[in-house]
Amino acid sequence: MWWGGRGQSFNIAPQKEEPEMGHSGPKCVQRTGMLEPRSQQLDGHVASGCLPGEQILAWAPGVRKGLEPELPGTLICTNLRVTFQPCGWQRSQETPLSSEYDFALVNIGRLEAVSGLSRVQLLRPGSPLKFIPEEILIHGRDFRLLRVAFEAGGLEPQAFQVTMAIVQARAQNSQVQQYAGIPLSKAGQNTGSRKPPVPLLETSEDWEAERKKQGARGWRVSTINERFDIATSLPRYFWVPKRTLDSEVRRAFGHFHQGRGPRLSWHHPGGSDLLRCGGFYTASDPNKEDIRAVESMLQAGHSDVVLVDTVDELPSLADVQLAHLRLRALCLPDSPAAEEKWLSALEGTRWLDYVRSCLRKASDISVLVTSRVRSVVLQERGDRDFNGLLSSLVQLLSVPEARTLLGFQSLVQREWVAAGHPFLTRLGVTGASEEAPVFLLFLDCVWQLLQQFPAEFEFSEFFLLALHDSARVPDTLTFLRDTPWERGKQGGQFNSYTQIYNPGYCQPPAGNSVNSQLSVWDWDLRYNSEQILQFHNPGYDPEHCPDSWLPRQQPSFMVPGPPSSVWLFSRGALTPLNQLCPWRDNPSLLAVSSRWLPRAAISSESLADQEWGLPSHWGACPLPPGLLLPGYLGPQIRLWRRCYLRGRPEVQKGLSAPTISGLQDELSHLQELLRKWTPRISPEDHSKKRDPNTILSQSR
């Protein structure tokens, strides 16, 4: 099934130059440490599948193992990817980016060569191969596994060559070459006039349309960062209070880390505003006139303001990275964890703990946003990681509109892509030490919500899985760069602008650009119509349509907050503050924001008492329309098996499927399990044994 793991995909553009053909078969030679392709004799459809600038380095016949049925085919290594080409299979022109057999070189997390039953070698860049492999195992960073057994009968040299080619190609693959930009096109389609399926928020018109859609009447689109002279990590346009001048915005943003000052993230239909910003600079002079502009922007026209310490109670970036590495190691087929201790080992990774912490924090913030008409400000030092995660989760919990397929894609585009989340750095593509898959942690949180509220979301688990895999696909600009400036510069959107110095950016080669109008949301380039249909949740209740939820500006269930009240939300508790800008009292408090006014943590139920005056038991109380409050205790947080256990095909059997054929397969699997377990019934219960089909029929 296609959702068992979609591979890294590349655009199959019309081939202008066919590779040279020879008669001696594909060979790969090594000169001065560099792999160079020779003339290769491959099937025509294989050669025509190469990208512009892609070269086949080596290939070998083999059989894909580990999945049923086993497939004969060819393992091919190029300077961009490793792909398994099944016999008789061709890439569809309707979905030119689709292939579950491709592994981008940057997506290979672990490479193993196997010979016999006991000889296993972990291949690292630059390491020599000590034997001719009988099998090769390619572990993807996206939890996929490709296991290929090579054919015998005089083909051992080709197995050696393709294995060494993969090792050296990984070592030689430069980030500039890999991510310089792959020209995207689709047969018979003029991409220049194509309208993006989701607004990319690259124009002021897009931002103005989104502002009107949210009903944010007290806000306007600021063009002060149009040339990225405020911050390259910020979008060109963002929302600021309507009465704040651009000159005041410029001065106010100078008081925040990396120039990421307070700006609107989302306007709640009931009247509250959710803002996000970076950390305060401790060197700011509290007596300056522009400090009052900072306070005005944080208040956003509300008398009640809550500053949220975003990173409080959440893991650090290093914690997230370590947990993800442990989770990936645990989910490998050859995990050292014993079967009876696997669940305890899963808890030891801390990954589910971090998912639980994010959901609890987001639930608390959603209570703050929906219980009073106020300004809620998310503050994180860099404003590029957990601010986006919490802001996105709060919107998913608060309004049904964000739970639609289009609404969720727009949410990711606004809160992650346009907001400057450093995708390349966090996903480890650049090799930087700041690797931490925060975006993948967010997708796991969304999957948890989908499991707890299956009728509330229009999209399905398979859509989340496709988005999870697309984070490592170097074919569009959506996840290609760390900042909107880098993304726009590579797409050629503002070549006439003065170049701004950015030490972390490498200029792509001239003449090699990516069509900026194509994004990860162009699913029809990767999936056929049947697969896209499975992006939709069959259990979604149309009654949850946002149009029938809550008319704009109807705060009947929300009341104004206390007059001129300022609060700090930290460790689950609301603490009153004397001043909105904390440096007016004590600049040293900025170093560790959770120490502003330390206080013992209280539960989210206590927060509900404080906000609504409701009993601590949520089930007996009416909630604001559209609000979801997830559970996050014990077994309520589950492992995303379809994603993380894709390298273990035997575990995938028995997972629910939204199609008739999938349900039939699942029923057959359950019947087979019953047949296997029936002989294990104790002798005294022997008389009670019944046919498995009878058991199933009676249980219905």
Side-chain angles (χ1 to χ4, degrees), residues 376-585:
V376 179
V377 184
L378 304 180
Q379 189 169 30
E380 178 191 18
R381 176 174 172 78
D383 182 37
R384 302 174 67 184
D385 294 296
F386 288 105
N387 266 8
L389 183 147
L390 291 176
S391 176
S392 301
L393 289 180
V394 168
Q395 295 178 53
L396 285 172
L397 293 175
S398 302
V399 289
E401 183 177 2
R403 303 169 208 149
T404 64
L405 187 59
L406 178 60
F408 182 76
Q409 294 177 112
S410 300
L411 174 68
V412 173
Q413 184 70 29
R414 183 178 70 251
E415 298 296 335
W416 293 87
V417 181
H421 177 68
F423 284 102
L424 286 187
T425 299
R426 295 294 182 255
L427 293 176
V429 179
T430 61
S433 59
E434 296 86 4
E435 180 179 356
V438 180
F439 182 67
L440 304 185
L441 178 64
F442 162 70
L443 293 182
D444 197 323
C445 293
V446 179
W447 181 83
Q448 303 289 341
L449 297 178
L450 183 60
Q451 302 309 300
Q452 296 189 27
F453 307 99
E456 300 284 346
F457 291 84
E458 185 183 15
F459 52 87
S460 68
E461 174 187 14
F462 308 124
F463 170 77
L464 294 178
L465 187 61
L467 189 57
H468 177 280
D469 293 350
S470 298
R472 301 185 187 276
V473 178
D475 54 15
T476 67
L477 283 178
T478 306
F479 304 130
L480 263 179
R481 291 293 178 186
D482 279 346
T483 66
W485 177 79
E486 294 174 359
R487 192 177 298 110
K489 187 68 175 178
Q490 183 174 339
Q493 298 174 0
F494 39 84
N495 290 330
S496 60
Y497 291 171
T498 303
Q499 182 169 343
I500 303 172
Y501 174 71
N502 190 326
Y505 175 72
C506 298
Q507 180 70 22
N512 193 7
S513 62
V514 178
N515 192 320
S516 61
Q517 295 302 308
L518 289 176
S519 67
V520 70
W521 316 120
D522 292 281
W523 297 114
D524 57 339
L525 295 176
R526 300 175 179 84
Y527 300 99
N528 57 40
S529 56
E530 181 181 353
Q531 294 169 340
I532 294 178
L533 185 61
Q534 295 186 23
F535 285 178
H536 296 265
N537 178 15
Y540 177 65
D541 188 355
E543 295 297 327
H544 297 158
C545 178
D547 294 336
S548 62
W549 170 62
L550 180 69
R552 296 294 182 187
Q553 301 299 335
Q554 181 186 341
S556 58
F557 65 95
M558 301 172 66
V559 297
S564 302
S565 59
V566 180
W567 308 85
L568 171 69
F569 182 71
S570 178
R571 301 186 181 277
L574 279 172
T575 305
L577 294 177
N578 295 327
Q579 301 290 343
L580 183 58
C581 296
W583 56 67
R584 290 193 172 188
D585 291 332

Side-chain angles (χ1 to χ4, degrees), residues 73 111 124 127 152 178 209 382 387 502 510 562 641 654 675 687:
L111 183 64
R124 296 182 174 87
S127 62
Q178 179 73 23
N387 266 8
N502 190 326
R641 295 169 59 192
R675 293 188 185 98
S687 60

Side-chain angles (χ1 to χ4, degrees), residues 562-636:
S564 302
S565 59
V566 180
W567 308 85
L568 171 69
F569 182 71
S570 178
R571 301 186 181 277
L574 279 172
T575 305
L577 294 177
N578 295 327
Q579 301 290 343
L580 183 58
C581 296
W583 56 67
R584 290 193 172 188
D585 291 332
N586 188 352
S588 63
L589 297 178
L590 299 172
V592 182
S593 55
S594 61
R595 295 182 180 175
W596 285 356
L597 284 174
R599 174 173 170 172
I602 59 176
S603 65
S604 60
E605 288 81 7
S606 297
L607 178 62
D609 298 343
Q610 194 170 349
E611 288 296 290
W612 280 309
L614 300 175
S616 59
H617 180 56
W618 281 105
C621 307
L623 296 178
L627 178 64
L628 304 179
L629 290 178
Y632 42 78
L633 300 177
Q636 292 175 303

